Amino acid sequence: MRLPYRSKLAAASVLAVLAAGAVLADPSPDAELVVNEDIELVTRVAPGPAVEGVLTEVYSGWLYRETETRAMQMDDFDNPAMVFADQGLDMWDTVDGTEGKSCASCHEGIESMKGVRTSMPKMNGAATDLWSMENFINDCRTNRMGAEAWKWNSNDMKNMTSAISLQSRGEPMKVSVEGAAADWWERGKEIYYTRYGQLELACANCHEVNAGNMIRADHLSQGQINGFPTYRLKDAGVVSIHQRFVGCVRDTRAETFAAGSEEFRALELYVASRGEGLSIEGVSVRP
Amino acid sequence: MKSHVAHWAMAPALAAALAAALAALPAAAETAPGGVAFDGGAVAASLTGAPGDATAGATVMTTNALGNCVACHELAAMPEVQFQGNIGPALDGAADRWTEAELRGLVVNAKLTFEGTMMPAFYKTDGFIRPGDGYTGKAPTAELPPVLTAQQVEDVVAYLLTLKE
């Protein structure tokens, strides 16, 4: 078959695009996440109850990233988020507020926080509200320490959530969606499937139906939150779960919900339930 | 009443000249987003009353802040455009598969052709849930503009019509 040169070029580029698509359609099939050649993290699990029959397998966002980005998370000396987790660790022992207390005054070593991140968000002690880790931290600060509440996306807050999340690294995600949390979960699910903004996009459009596909240069993941807080290379800083939610909803040309809002706490619970069984990676590295 | 009669009674030559002058003014015939006439998912009439410019359309299609069609669609006809997405079908040969009216309808509001499609409506200004002021994340302070202007829609349609295999 004889083709004019331009047609051949076009055909070749179609093949190149198709080949690239075939490679990129699935998350890296063989990659294994082992941090510091020691901590083995689970990045693929069978779907939990929230996504049974919806997803064939649950994948950490780590699997969708380029080799170099994945490698940064495999060594704590290369992981840029570690500096911020260390600052949070310093803060853990720092006295603040009118009561003369630090976190350590009540909780002793930060290792006592092991497992905490896996169950977030959860109902508060009085079972009157669904709280993210940020709410629990501020409850301690204002009610026990007599200190000022931190803003949701402040550096202090993100340093502390990073340090606390790190204590659960390798532990499986497992939020409770029973009892009073059930209504919050339903609300979060409704938000997940609502097509917001002038572009009329739901979370599900990109992260359920098109996970593995490309939007321009972005390789769409399942939007799992087991890696948060995450060091986002694009932002050159640590990003909270709600901060990422704000960014996604904004990109649909919508009026976003606020970080810390009921809507985003409900969404956090629902999305966390979709990732049941994945290892907590916080603090992870993403592009 | 009398003055109306007088207007309609103007010289035929003058009336013809007036009609010709109006036809040469596409802006006067521009269709607002709420006034687009659909036949199924198709829109027969140009939104501007005139054909678009395919070269300008190619720019709209590849510019992030405009149509950014290549964010979701592959287009082998533009091998120089990097990072083409693969959410929707490839656009090559679109003019072989769709008529001009169908292509216009797909750009204006593809949901009337494919129910539930992920593709945004590029010439629609109402019916949204929590629409924002562009990409600011804030509530709009004025009436929403469509994502693309009538002229930009027509330019995209003109480009798509060149995609024959």
Side-chain angles (χ1 to χ4, degrees):
Chain A
M1 184 173 65
R2 292 196 60 187
L3 287 170
Y5 176 70
R6 281 183 61 188
S7 299
K8 279 183 187 162
L9 197 65
S13 67
V14 169
L15 286 177
V17 169
L18 287 176
V23 170
L24 293 166
D26 295 311
S28 309
D30 304 320
E32 296 294 340
L33 178 51
V34 182
V35 178
N36 303 335
E37 298 181 350
D38 177 33
I39 312 165
E40 292 179 16
L41 304 187
V42 174
T43 56
R44 310 170 179 80
V45 286
V51 282
E52 211 167 350
V54 175
L55 300 176
T56 51
E57 196 163 14
V58 173
Y59 297 120
S60 165
W62 181 81
L63 290 169
Y64 294 83
R65 311 289 50 122
E66 302 284 343
T67 310
E68 302 76 35
T69 312
R70 292 204 310 270
M72 288 176 86
Q73 198 184 315
M74 295 177 74
D75 186 331
D76 283 349
F77 284 104
D78 294 334
N79 183 337
M82 284 303 155
V83 176
F84 302 97
D86 281 346
Q87 289 175 17
L89 187 58
D90 290 342
M91 192 67 87
W92 181 264
D93 294 317
T94 305
V95 171
D96 194 8
T98 56
E99 302 302 307
K101 289 179 180 172
S102 69
C103 305
S105 305
C106 295
H107 298 289
E108 303 188 346
I110 198 169
E111 318 81 60
S112 64
M113 293 291 110
K114 181 172 178 167
V116 165
R117 170 70 174 84
T118 64
S119 63
M120 293 286 159
K122 63 192 248 181
M123 297 306 295
N124 63 2
T128 53
D129 202 3
L130 181 79
W131 282 4
S132 301
M133 192 191 288
E134 287 87 345
N135 298 108
F136 283 97
I137 290 170
N138 271 340
D139 181 57
C140 271
R141 287 185 58 77
T142 56
N143 291 326
R144 294 196 198 178
M145 297 167 68
E148 296 275 315
W150 282 327
K151 286 199 162 63
W152 199 276
N153 287 323
S154 62
N155 290 337
D156 283 336
M157 181 64 91
K158 289 193 281 188
N159 292 345
M160 185 58 76
T161 56
S162 295
I164 293 175
S165 296
L166 201 51
Q167 308 311 310
S168 300
R169 190 161 64 174
E171 302 279 311
M173 300 260 290
K174 176 74 173 130
V175 287
S176 169
V177 298
E178 313 272 291
D183 288 345
W184 285 91
W185 186 85
E186 286 293 343
R187 189 174 176 188
K189 183 178 182 181
E190 190 187 331
I191 291 169
Y192 190 88
Y193 288 102
T194 298
R195 300 184 63 166
Y196 290 108
Q198 197 170 5
L199 300 185
E200 298 175 288
L201 295 172
C203 307
N205 284 118
C206 287
H207 299 292
E208 181 174 291
V209 180
N210 281 294
N213 288 334
M214 304 293 292
I215 283 199
R216 209 74 202 248
D218 290 332
H219 193 193
L220 292 172
S221 72
Q222 289 180 351
Q224 301 291 355
I225 56 175
N226 60 305
F228 283 85
T230 187
Y231 187 89
R232 197 167 188 237
L233 298 168
K234 190 174 168 184
D235 296 334
V238 174
V239 170
S240 75
I241 296 166
H242 290 204
Q243 196 174 357
R244 192 53 239 151
F245 286 168
V246 166
C248 265
V249 177
R250 179 199 60 215
D251 288 349
T252 70
R253 287 175 80 124
E255 179 190 358
T256 68
F257 301 103
S261 62
E262 287 187 4
E263 289 87 353
F264 278 165
R265 281 180 280 136
L267 182 62
E268 181 185 344
L269 177 65
Y270 176 68
V271 176
S273 77
R274 293 174 67 98
E276 184 172 312
L278 289 175
S279 288
I280 296 294
E281 295 173 23
V283 285
S284 67
V285 184
R286 299 289 186 264
Chain B
M1 255 343 247
K2 258 192 175 169
S3 68
H4 274 118
V5 171
H7 274 295
W8 285 112
M10 68 186 157
L14 182 60
L18 194 61
L22 282 173
L25 287 172
E30 187 168 305
T31 305
V36 178
F38 280 91
D39 176 9
V43 177
S46 165
L47 303 180
T48 60
D53 171 3
T55 307
T59 303
V60 171
M61 292 186 59
T62 54
T63 304
N64 286 3
L66 298 175
N68 202 17
C69 310
V70 293
C72 289
H73 296 279
E74 287 166 354
L75 182 50
M78 289 185 179
E80 72 283 4
V81 176
Q82 286 192 305
F83 304 121
Q84 302 182 0
N86 58 358
I87 303 289
L91 296 179
D92 299 281
D96 297 327
R97 298 189 293 276
W98 305 97
T99 66
E100 178 188 327
E102 287 166 342
L103 287 170
R104 183 176 292 108
L106 284 165
V107 177
V108 169
N109 185 356
K111 293 177 183 70
L112 297 179
T113 300
F114 298 110
E115 194 185 342
T117 180
M118 178 172 165
M119 182 168 162
F122 287 89
Y123 199 65
K124 185 178 117 161
T125 52
D126 57 12
F128 304 118
I129 301 170
R130 291 179 73 88
D133 179 10
Y135 292 103
T136 65
K138 294 180 166 46
T141 51
E143 213 170 305
L144 282 183
V147 178
L148 296 180
T149 64
Q151 184 64 54
Q152 288 166 337
V153 170
E154 291 306 321
D155 292 346
V156 169
V157 170
Y159 178 80
L160 292 173
L161 285 169
T162 69
L163 296 175
K164 290 178 189 273
E165 286 182 330

